[in-house]
């Protein structure tokens, strides 16, 4: 089945209640490719959220728990994640290759593991303050690439990275290594200031090679979230047409 523009959109269900979850799933089911359950919703409402989405929608499910613990704990947690029947999940790349391998082994090819390279809310100054070598502070993409290499070698399906690094990741690891890009800010939302720092527009992320765009607040907080999702898909479609020309 060919991927349409809406299939590139992952909508994070960053909401506090099951009734809000149901509202957005019902509203956006035919307008996005995947729903993401993150810490906020999972801590409040747990694994039932996966079943609720499955009962309401054919969209994919990404359980984004960003695991970061000792390998055995990550392996066992990943087994539990895979048993829920979700398509994608995440573990941080920042620790060790063993930790990522444990995530992949726990998921047993039932659920794809994405390595979180460097959060899009992190800037060069943050890296410097955290004590990283100058070469990484001067060029953040070097750190992202180094972490993506760890993820690739550990058997991850792909990585989460900003739209600014995705071109380099695709060039280095090939088109089949999945790149999921948060920090997406459509042109009509650029004036809104928030915690995201390494941001890209949907069209730019697509042109750089992103396989999926995580787009939360620009849709969730829009006056009309459905129109916002449709406008984003239109922007993606134009970018795809330009690539295929
Ligand atoms: O579009 P917005 O900034 O609202 O997206 C926020 C969502 O993206 C949250 O669910 C957050 O967990 C996720 N995210 C991510 N990786 C990042 C940045 C944000 O998964 N690097």
């Amino acid at each position: 089945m060919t991927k349409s523009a809406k299939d590139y959109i992952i909508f994070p269900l960053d909401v506090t209640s099951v009734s809000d979850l149901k509202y957005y799933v019902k509203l956006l089911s035919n307008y996005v490719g995947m729903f993401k359950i993150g810490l906020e919703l999972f801590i409040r409402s747990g694994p039932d959220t996966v079943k609720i989405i499955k009962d309401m929608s054919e969209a994919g499910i990404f359980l984004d728990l960003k695991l970061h613990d000792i390998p055995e704990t990550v392996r066992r947690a990943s087994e539990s994640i895979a048993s829920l029947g979700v398509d994608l999940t995440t573990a941080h790349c920042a620790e060790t290759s063993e930790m990522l391998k444990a995530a992949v082994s726990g998921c047993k090819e039932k659920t794809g593991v994405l390595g979180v390279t460097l959060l899009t809310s992190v800037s060069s100054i943050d890296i410097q303050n955290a004590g990283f070598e100058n070469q990484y502070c001067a060029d953040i993409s070097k750190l992202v690439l180094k972490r993506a290499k760890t993820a690739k070698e550990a058997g991850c399906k792909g990585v989460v990275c900003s739209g600014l690094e995705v071109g380099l990741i695709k060039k280095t690891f090939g088109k089949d290594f999945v790149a999921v890009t948060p920090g997406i800010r459509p042109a009509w939302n650029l004036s809104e200031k928030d915690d995201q720092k390494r941001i890209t527009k949907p069209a730019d992320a697509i042109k750089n090679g992103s396989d999926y765009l995580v787009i939360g607040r620009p849709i969730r907080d829009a006056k009309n979230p459905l129109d916002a999702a449709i406008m984003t898909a239109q922007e993606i479609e134009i970018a795809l047409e330009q690539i295929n020309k």
Side-chain angles (χ1 to χ4, degrees), residues 11-14 36-40 62 64 66 90 116-122 160-162 180-185 194-196 198 214-221:
F11 179 71
L13 290 157
D14 294 331
K36 180 168 95 69
I37 301 166
L39 289 173
E40 181 181 350
F62 174 9
D64 178 27
K66 296 192 174 72
T90 42
V116 179
T117 55
L118 187 71
L119 296 171
T120 45
S121 53
V122 173
V160 182
C161 64
S162 94
V180 173
T181 304
I184 298 293
R185 291 294 175 263
D194 56 40
D195 55 352
Q196 298 283 21
R198 300 190 338 277
V214 177
I215 311 177
R217 283 164 286 185
I219 293 176
R220 185 196 68 188
D221 298 343

Side-chain angles (χ1 to χ4, degrees), residues 102-132:
V104 173
S105 138
C107 282
K108 292 192 189 78
E109 293 182 10
K110 287 190 225 153
T111 296
V113 178
L114 303 172
V116 179
T117 55
L118 187 71
L119 296 171
T120 45
S121 53
V122 173
S123 69
S124 295
I125 306 229
D126 299 319
I127 293 293
Q128 195 171 23
N129 290 340
F132 280 82

Side-chain angles (χ1 to χ4, degrees), residues 78-94:
S78 300
E79 276 180 5
S80 299
I81 289 172
S83 75
L84 298 175
V86 294
D87 301 285
L88 294 173
T89 191
T90 42
H92 276 284
C93 293

